[in-house]
């Protein structure tokens, strides 16, 4: 599998926007650290959010890691900014000074407004991609309309894009891909309960996931991906002894996908398929990506391999969006201890996807 760390050498003709995340969490700090630790990656990028919040976050970095935060008026200004300067485009009114580590509806609104602005900028073509720092789902919901209808980033993006295209959300299926240096997984369902996730394992949902994954990774890799499908039940159902989802849903989907030309195999026992996708033989992995049936089935193996390197990618949208594979870490907020590795990896992958698009 091509290493994420090898995919950063893309010159930008349009800027990449990073959203600051929840102002009370570690989002603003890891964004500031990304500018300090990865100056080549952040050239031509800017932050959408609040200037004051980003200045306070930059102050958490010890000298000589910190440097000026500069307000810009338009995205294109980011392409001309000098090194060691963090450009921020103010979105909405100036945010109040908020308490680190506290869930606050005002913080949820600041975070939500930044994502909404960045999504619209991407749809207009003003930016090449967006990279979203973590927001807090409870704070987002507490911010009220329109944010109280969204479980997280993915659903907000999906709804806004559907509105822009003038289509129902149901006609714009999206999927979440989690990736690190060793493994990629794509989820059939995202932020729903486990009981609802099991109900979502239908032929339509699985077939959509396979097609979205194939199309997205073909653009990214320059070839059709080798796709493995994880089973639902122990031992992939053991021929129906432990459940029939594999027989009634997954096997017909795999057969149909292969008839359509997709390079897909399975369903495989879910306790071993992720190892098969990670294992190397002569420098190659057996599979490029694993289709996981529900949220934790896919996220646990990726996060176990290292949250600090994980990247979340939204597939199925007419824009590029990546994010770090972790949350707001309220217990670390304001202490100057946050690790920006996952955000830096998300930015690196976004730059590569811009070049592949």
């Amino acid at each position: 599998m091509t290493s994420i760390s090898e995919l950063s050498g893309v010159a930008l003709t349009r800027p990449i926007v990073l959203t600051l995340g929840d102002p009370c969490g570690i989002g603003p700090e890891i964004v500031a650290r990304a500018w300090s630790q990865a100056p080549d990656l952040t050239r031509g990028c800017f932050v959408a959010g609040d200037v004051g919040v980003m200045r306070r976050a930059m102050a958490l970095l010890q000298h000589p890691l910190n440097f000026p935060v500069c307000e810009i008026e338009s995205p294109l200004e980011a392409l001309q900014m000098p090194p060691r300067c963090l450009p921020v485009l103010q979105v909405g009114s100036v945010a109040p000074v908020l308490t680190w580590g506290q869930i606050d509806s005002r913080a949820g609104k600041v975070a939500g407004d930044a994502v909404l602005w960045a999504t619209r900028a991407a749809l207009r073509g003003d930016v090449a991609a967006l990279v979203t720092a973590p927001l807090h789902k409870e704070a987002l919901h507490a911010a009220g309309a329109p944010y109280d209808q969204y479980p997280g980033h993915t659903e907000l993006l999906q709804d806004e894009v559907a509105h822009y295209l003038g289509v129902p959300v149901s006609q714009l299926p999206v999927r979440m891909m989690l990736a690190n240096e060793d493994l990629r997984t794509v989820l059939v369902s995202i932020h729903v309960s486990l009981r609802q996730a099991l109900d979502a394992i239908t032929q339509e949902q699985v077939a959509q996931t396979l097609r979205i994954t194939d199309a997205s990774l073909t653009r990214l890799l320059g070839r059709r991906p080798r796709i493995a499908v994880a089973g639902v039940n122990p031992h992939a159902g053991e021929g129906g002894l432990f459940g029939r989802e594999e027989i009634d849903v997954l096997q017909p989907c795999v057969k149909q996908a292969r008839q359509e030309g997709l390079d897909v195999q399975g369903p495989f026992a879910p306790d071993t398929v992720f190892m098969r996708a990670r294992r190397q033989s002569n420098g190659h992995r057996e599979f490029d990506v694993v289709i996981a049936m529900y949220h934790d089935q896919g996220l646990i193996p990726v996060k176990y391999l290292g949250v600090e390197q994980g990247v979340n990618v939204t597939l199925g949208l007419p824009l590029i969006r990546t994010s770090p594979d972790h949350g707001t870490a309220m217990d670390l907020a304001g202490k100057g201890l946050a690790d920006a590795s996952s955000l830096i990896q998300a930015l690196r992958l976004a730059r590569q996807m811009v070049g592949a698009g």
Side-chain angles (χ1 to χ4, degrees):
M1 185 167 75
T2 304
S3 168
I4 293 175
S5 62
E6 296 171 2
L7 303 177
S8 58
V10 177
L12 297 176
T13 57
R14 289 180 295 153
I16 289 176
V17 59
L18 288 80
T19 59
L20 78 175
D22 190 297
C24 297
I26 63 169
E29 181 188 344
I30 61 174
V31 170
R33 287 192 181 278
W35 253 262
S36 178
Q37 296 174 5
D40 291 338
L41 284 179
T42 52
R43 290 298 302 272
C45 302
F46 70 99
V47 179
D50 185 83
V51 176
V53 169
M54 289 310 306
R55 284 176 175 156
R56 191 163 74 124
M58 184 63 76
L60 294 173
L61 279 60
Q62 296 296 317
H63 183 77
L65 294 178
N66 56 14
F67 44 78
V69 171
C70 309
E71 185 171 0
I72 60 174
E73 300 295 329
S74 70
L76 283 177
E77 290 182 54
L79 298 177
Q80 309 301 324
M81 296 301 290
R84 295 194 61 77
C85 179
L86 195 165
V88 179
L89 191 149
Q90 180 72 37
V91 175
S93 56
V94 175
V97 177
L98 301 168
T99 303
W100 294 116
Q102 298 296 313
I103 299 171
D104 193 312
S105 62
R106 297 170 296 174
K109 186 177 187 310
V110 171
D113 287 351
V115 175
L116 203 57
W117 184 94
T119 304
R120 291 171 178 172
L123 290 169
R124 291 192 303 266
D126 295 342
V127 299
L130 61 148
V131 179
T132 58
L135 53 72
H136 196 284
K137 293 177 175 62
E138 187 177 343
L140 183 72
H141 191 271
Y147 304 119
D148 53 358
Q149 63 182 301
Y150 305 121
H153 273 118
T154 303
E155 295 81 4
L156 193 163
L157 288 161
Q158 181 186 26
D159 188 73
E160 185 60 24
V161 173
H163 178 76
Y164 178 85
L165 296 176
V167 300
V169 172
S170 60
Q171 292 183 19
L172 188 72
V174 300
R175 295 296 186 270
M176 178 188 294
M177 180 173 77
L178 279 296
N180 59 26
E181 300 284 1
D182 294 320
L183 183 65
R184 297 185 187 98
T185 68
V186 176
L187 311 181
V188 170
S189 63
I190 306 176
H191 297 121
V192 296
S193 72
L194 181 56
R195 187 174 302 279
Q196 291 173 306
L198 293 174
D199 292 337
I201 301 170
T202 64
Q203 289 193 24
E204 180 183 9
Q205 287 287 99
V206 175
Q208 277 186 348
T209 307
L210 289 169
R211 294 185 186 114
I212 291 170
T213 302
D214 177 72
S216 299
L217 287 186
T218 295
R219 289 192 297 270
L220 180 63
L221 301 175
R223 58 171 174 79
R224 290 207 110 136
R226 300 180 299 271
I227 302 173
V229 174
V232 183
N233 301 297
H235 305 265
E238 199 74 82
L241 291 175
F242 305 141
R244 292 192 55 85
E245 285 84 357
E246 288 78 11
I247 295 172
D248 296 337
V249 178
L250 300 185
Q251 290 177 10
C253 285
V254 170
K255 180 179 179 181
Q256 178 62 36
R258 291 177 67 86
Q259 290 174 349
E260 295 175 10
L262 279 66
D263 185 354
V264 56
Q265 297 182 48
F268 298 111
D271 58 349
T272 56
V273 66
F274 298 99
M275 290 184 286
R276 292 178 64 178
R278 187 183 179 214
R279 185 185 303 127
Q280 292 198 36
S281 175
N282 299 322
H284 299 284
R285 289 174 172 81
E286 190 173 356
F287 304 111
D288 295 303
V289 61
V290 177
I291 306 300
M293 293 299 111
Y294 52 90
H295 186 278
D296 286 7
Q297 186 188 57
L299 266 64
I300 287 172
V302 175
K303 292 191 174 186
Y304 180 77
L305 292 171
V307 172
E308 67 281 357
Q309 298 298 322
V311 178
N312 177 3
V313 186
T314 303
L315 306 182
L317 296 177
L319 54 81
I320 295 168
R321 178 259 173 160
T322 68
S323 72
D325 182 23
H326 60 71
T328 52
M330 292 295 197
D331 56 323
L332 291 178
K335 298 178 181 178
L337 301 175
D339 186 343
S341 299
S342 183
L343 180 70
I344 291 170
Q345 290 288 78
L347 177 56
R348 181 174 282 120
L349 183 55
R351 293 185 75 111
Q352 191 273 337
M353 293 175 73
V354 168

